[in-house]
Amino acid sequence: MLLIECPCCGVKAEETELSPGYEAHLKRFGPGSTDEEFEAYMFARKNPKGVHFERWRHAYGCGKWFLAARCTATLEVFGTYPAQVGEPPADIIEKIKARRPDWKGYK
Amino acid sequence: MSHFSRLWRWQVGNFRREAAEGREVGTDAPGRDALRDGGHAMKRYSVFAIAREALRHHAGWERAWASPQPKASYDAIIVGAGGHGLATAYYLGKNYGITNVAILEKGWLGGGNTGRNTTIIRSNYLQDSSAAIYEKARSLYETLSQDLNYNVMFSPRGVMMLAQTHHEVRGYLRTAHANKLQGVETEFITPQRVKELCPILNIDGPRYPVLGALWQARGGTGRHDAVAWGYARACSAMGMDIIQQCEVTGVRSEGGKVVGVDTTKGYIGTKKLGIVVAGHSGQLAEMAGFRLPIEAVALQALVSEPIKPCMDIVVMANTVHGYMSQSDKGEMVIGGGTDGFNNYTQRGSFHHIEETLRALIETFPIISRLKMLRQWGGIVDMTGDRSPIISKTPLGNCFINCGWGTGGFKAIPGSGWAMAELMAKGEPGPLAAEFDMWRFKEGRFIDESVAAGVAH
Ligand SMILES: Cc1cc2nc3c(=O)[nH]c(=O)nc-3n(C[C@H](O)[C@H](O)[C@H](O)COP(=O)(O)OP(=O)(O)OC[C@H]3O[C@@H](n4cnc5c(N)ncnc54)[C@H](O)[C@@H]3O)c2cc1C
Ligand SMILES: [Zn+2]
């Protein structure tokens, strides 16, 4: 079972307290965008075997959305951070690099 | 029907068929019975072979398939020796005479989702293109044991999908009407009939009383390993190379066309490439230079201790997320929904088991004291509309078959049939035409997520 710390209220929550929300840092493409952009936004989700950034909601706790960096191959959680950012913060990147030296970085 | 009587009926079926074809029943003289010259000589399995081997200490059985080293190149390479990959290779040989084929598997054949699923077979889907391919598969399953000379234990025991909300009743009525137009035999039945067909089912609630069910009498189960093994044996007999412990690590191309693959056993050239790797489709697509609308998540299943026969159909309860059938060994085979996050670990999480069992105990009070024996997970490949992809790709001569998600065991023969046609001709036939990967861009969804939003 995953244990993920909610950065909003500080509770170390177990999986049943949380709802998963899939890929983080999605850029929304709406009216006026190309078919390719809209398709990529709607369906072409990142699906790495390894480091992944995703959304979670502390559903049975404080109720807030937040973001997490997690390894999909081992279920290791590298860290969590508030949702109001466009890309993963530097300290999270550092933590991941320390654990996964051959990780190609966030793109 | 017991395991033994099914085996017996299968043998008698073989006997009748061989007799009807005017062959000397049960002979297996090498050369004569090999499916093909030059292939891995395959002796026919029959009741006479069993009797003869019984008299000589079972020393005469041979390996079911060969274990060759890769050649320098092939006419076609299939990546992934799951059911779909093996069936693709089989129909490439059988329907199109293409036998210079290698099937590359990173683990052991049938070790992916094909060997991890709960073997439900049905074809009563909502959309026309789904009903067509799943019904093709179901009908091929009916004679698969005879076609492959390998008992896949197809058991058309009937599949029942419970309607436990008014919304579901309407949905299944709609499916029943659609199936009537598609020529797929299925019917919407009353709660009383549900109880007759499955007496251990509690139809009175408490949370979700049974309001009816969609019943496909010709659906059922099969033996998952045997499906992979049967196709593998037939492919090997046609002279194809099944190469296990051989992971594809790169896809090479020239001038926009595939020319070969890098593997843990070296570079292998090919004229055509079929990618059939379920949960790892995203990885392989990346190697081939394109992206797929697929996410990999874990789906798990579990079995109970064996008990006496108490249920001779498959029951699915999609509102509460659980389904169950009884294996020939007597175990209750149980499955539920997927985990809600990307995952490649082939493990599930405990709270999902808890959820599934909680749901099923309400519907089947009889199982509340059962001990659960084993639990396992598989990585399923989920697309945006919950329908598969059988498609050409942006890379020339490279084809992909994936996205079967939680429900592709039932589709194996039909999917292999359609994928072989696509690979042989370079263009999809009628079965595969709608399942191309560009439908997401163009908004031509084959939306089955409403019809079956649960493991199936
Ligand atoms: C718990 C569970 C229950 C299910 N229940 C049902 C059910 O009741 N009914 C139903 O119809 N369906 C069910 N399914 C779905 C069904 O199992 C799958 O859709 C189907 O088996 C997929 O078959 P496949 O051949 O595409 O994939 P797999 O059997 O997974 O085969 C893919 C193969 O590709 C190999 N591979 C991956 N990467 C590489 C590489 N780089 N190089 C070489 N080889 C590679 C893998 O090792 C694997 O053997 C269930 C699935 C699960 C997990
Ligand atoms: Zn919180």
Side-chain angles (χ1 to χ4, degrees):
Chain A
M1 182 169 295
L2 295 175
L3 285 178
I4 303 182
E5 188 174 311
C6 172
C8 307
C9 67
V11 168
K12 214 174 172 88
E14 58 137 279
E15 209 175 315
T16 55
E17 255 183 74
L18 303 161
S19 324
Y22 293 95
E23 187 181 336
H25 305 300
L26 278 181
K27 181 171 172 347
R28 184 174 156 61
F29 286 91
S33 52
T34 65
D35 286 357
E36 285 73 21
E37 285 167 341
F38 192 65
E39 182 204 9
Y41 159 65
M42 285 291 280
F43 298 109
R45 291 283 177 276
K46 285 182 188 155
N47 189 25
K49 186 172 183 174
V51 178
H52 192 40
F53 299 90
E54 59 194 1
R55 311 191 306 156
W56 286 86
R57 193 165 84 88
H58 194 184
Y60 300 101
C62 70
K64 296 239 165 61
W65 283 100
F66 62 90
L67 306 180
R70 188 176 60 85
C71 176
T72 62
T74 62
L75 303 190
E76 176 177 357
V77 179
F78 302 108
T80 56
Y81 50 100
Q84 291 76 13
V85 289
E87 56 181 58
D91 61 319
I92 296 281
I93 300 277
E94 284 317 307
K95 272 189 205 156
I96 299 170
K97 280 190 176 151
R99 301 282 304 161
R100 297 281 183 281
D102 50 358
W103 177 56
K104 291 200 190 74
Y106 176 76
K107 53 176 178 335
Chain B
M1 202 194 308
S2 76
H3 183 159
F4 183 78
S5 60
R6 199 174 311 141
L7 237 165
W8 175 248
R9 289 206 347 179
W10 175 69
Q11 290 297 358
V12 171
N14 276 349
F15 177 86
R16 288 212 188 104
R17 211 171 63 107
E18 292 186 2
E21 288 170 2
R23 281 189 276 158
E24 195 185 322
V25 175
T27 44
D28 62 350
R32 178 159 181 254
D33 271 298
L35 269 194
R36 198 197 83 120
D37 296 330
H40 177 68
M42 182 176 93
K43 290 186 178 177
R44 283 192 70 79
Y45 293 150
S46 72
V47 69
F48 300 98
I50 293 175
R52 189 190 50 243
E53 288 305 325
L55 295 176
R56 57 182 196 201
H57 306 286
H58 291 282
W61 298 115
E62 294 183 333
R63 283 181 180 280
W65 51 81
S67 193
Q69 286 304 310
K71 294 193 262 182
S73 73
Y74 293 89
D75 290 340
I77 285 181
I78 310 288
V79 191
H84 289 258
L86 290 164
T88 301
Y90 174 75
Y91 294 111
L92 267 179
K94 191 177 175 217
N95 294 355
Y96 301 97
I98 301 171
T99 55
N100 182 20
V101 174
I103 304 123
L104 310 182
E105 167 56 51
K106 78 176 159 91
W108 65 95
L109 71 88
N113 292 344
T114 299
R116 292 163 186 271
N117 71 85
T118 46
T119 80
I120 299 175
I121 296 170
R122 64 181 185 90
S123 62
N124 47 357
Y125 282 70
L126 179 64
Q127 309 294 344
D128 292 350
S129 32
S130 319
I133 195 164
Y134 288 105
E135 176 64 6
K136 173 77 184 172
R138 194 203 55 75
S139 64
L140 285 170
Y141 263 124
E142 287 188 331
T143 54
L144 196 60
S145 295
Q146 280 73 31
D147 294 343
L148 298 177
N149 178 237
Y150 201 97
N151 191 357
V152 302
M153 293 168 68
F154 176 57
S155 161
R157 59 183 67 182
V159 174
M160 183 191 276
M161 295 160 77
L162 300 179
Q164 291 174 288
T165 63
H166 289 287
H167 189 80
E168 246 178 334
V169 171
R170 281 197 297 272
Y172 286 150
L173 281 171
R174 182 179 172 212
T175 304
H177 292 315
N179 290 158
K180 201 153 274 167
L181 294 173
Q182 294 149 349
V184 174
E185 242 176 88
T186 187
E187 62 181 310
F188 189 82
I189 57 173
T190 62
Q192 286 64 43
R193 181 105 168 88
V194 168
K195 188 77 183 167
E196 277 164 33
L197 284 165
C198 187
I200 63 167
L201 225 156
N202 171 24
I203 59 169
D204 303 319
R207 276 195 304 164
Y208 295 109
V210 173
L211 306 173
L214 190 63
W215 168 240
Q216 186 173 27
R218 306 182 75 164
T221 60
R223 168 107 202 267
H224 47 9
D225 299 321
V227 171
W229 297 338
Y231 275 122
R233 176 166 166 268
C235 287
S236 184
M238 285 190 278
M240 297 180 178
D241 289 350
I242 303 168
I243 302 161
Q244 303 183 68
Q245 317 267 298
C246 179
E247 179 171 356
V248 171
T249 53
V251 174
R252 289 207 216 163
S253 62
E254 270 165 32
K257 288 196 174 129
V258 69
V259 291
V261 290
D262 294 308
T263 77
T264 46
K265 296 197 173 182
Y267 174 79
I268 312 175
T270 188
K271 295 185 187 136
K272 290 183 176 179
L273 181 66
I275 299 174
V276 197
V277 295
H280 284 82
S281 301
Q283 263 68 50
L284 266 291
E286 200 178 320
M287 293 177 204
F290 59 93
R291 260 178 101 173
L292 280 177
I294 285 214
E295 285 186 277
V297 296
L299 176 66
Q300 56 185 326
L302 58 157
V303 292
S304 75
E305 58 190 325
I307 55 173
K308 285 184 178 168
C310 63
M311 175 180 183
D312 58 2
I313 61 169
V314 181
V315 174
M316 304 169 65
N318 292 349
T319 290
V320 294
H321 265 218
Y323 59 90
M324 191 163 87
S325 66
Q326 189 167 20
S327 77
D328 295 316
K329 287 183 280 185
E331 302 156 327
M332 304 312 288
V333 181
I334 293 172
T338 55
D339 283 7
F341 50 85
N342 300 46
N343 189 349
Y344 284 89
T345 61
Q346 295 190 327
R347 290 198 297 262
S349 39
F350 285 118
H351 73 268
H352 255 94
I353 299 181
E354 173 85 28
E355 253 173 60
T356 303
L357 291 180
R358 201 195 301 138
L360 285 177
I361 286 169
E362 189 175 312
T363 315
F364 300 96
I366 170 182
I367 68 166
S368 67
R369 302 287 169 86
L370 272 190
K371 292 191 180 72
M372 294 300 147
L373 279 193
R374 294 192 306 280
Q375 164 270 350
W376 65 91
I379 300 307
V380 295
D381 38 342
M382 308 297 282
T383 62
D385 61 1
R386 299 295 183 261
S387 284
I389 294 172
I390 306 174
S391 181
K392 303 208 277 189
T393 69
L395 181 61
N397 291 341
C398 172
F399 306 90
I400 191 148
N401 179 335
C402 62
W404 294 96
T406 58
F409 174 73
K410 63 178 69 62
I412 285 172
S415 157
W417 186 283
M419 181 71 175
E421 182 170 13
L422 172 65
M423 286 188 68
K425 298 180 177 166
E427 292 295 331
L431 279 180
E434 309 269 313
F435 292 100
D436 66 286
M437 62 181 278
W438 290 279
R439 70 176 186 268
F440 295 94
K441 188 170 107 189
E442 293 162 12
R444 291 180 283 107
F445 307 125
I446 304 168
D447 192 351
E448 294 289 349
S449 53
V450 188
V454 72
H456 54 114

